[in-house]
Amino acid sequence: MSRICQITGKKPMRGNNVSHAHNKPRMIQDINLIYKRFYVPELKQWVRLRISTSGIKTLSRLGGLSPFLLRTPMTDLNPDLRPWKRALTKRLKIQAG
């Protein structure tokens, strides 16, 4: 699995590690990714995401995973999150009745 945040879409940066003598070996700056579980109360399920720390801050600012999924258009979502959005919208339509 690639090192990409499922919320923000952040990827590792590539570039040169330039020394004082201007030697330029290639380097990769990885992002701070962790596996984190989020509870979705509407679905009564836990969702496990590979997410960056800035993605955690984004979700906490928006109020959790459910508001993020409902607010974000389907085309902007990570393909791994699209089934969760479909299930969430389906469950909310059933509850609304």
Side-chain angles (χ1 to χ4, degrees):
M1 177 181 253
S2 58
R3 296 191 55 84
I4 298 175
C5 176
Q6 292 180 319
I7 298 295
T8 60
K10 283 188 169 190
K11 297 178 182 179
M13 284 193 341
R14 291 170 175 80
N16 292 329
N17 195 3
V18 181
S19 68
H20 184 70
H22 287 280
N23 298 331
K24 296 177 182 171
R26 288 293 196 187
M27 68 166 198
I28 297 175
Q29 281 186 336
D30 283 329
I31 60 174
N32 190 6
L33 281 181
I34 58 170
Y35 283 102
K36 179 98 174 103
R37 291 186 339 155
F38 292 94
Y39 186 71
V40 181
E42 294 86 1
L43 299 176
K44 298 177 183 167
Q45 287 185 340
W46 289 93
V47 178
R48 185 172 180 241
L49 299 178
R50 192 164 195 197
I51 187 171
S52 64
T53 51
S54 61
I56 293 173
K57 289 172 76 172
T58 300
L59 289 183
S60 67
R61 188 186 69 225
L62 294 176
L65 184 61
S66 299
F68 171 79
L69 290 175
L70 293 174
R71 175 182 286 178
T72 308
M74 189 70 88
T75 55
D76 294 344
L77 275 179
N78 186 309
D80 298 334
L81 294 176
R82 291 176 185 170
W84 293 109
K85 179 175 173 116
R86 279 190 215 102
L88 184 62
T89 53
K90 184 178 178 181
R91 179 65 60 103
L92 291 176
K93 283 182 184 177
I94 291 172
Q95 287 178 352

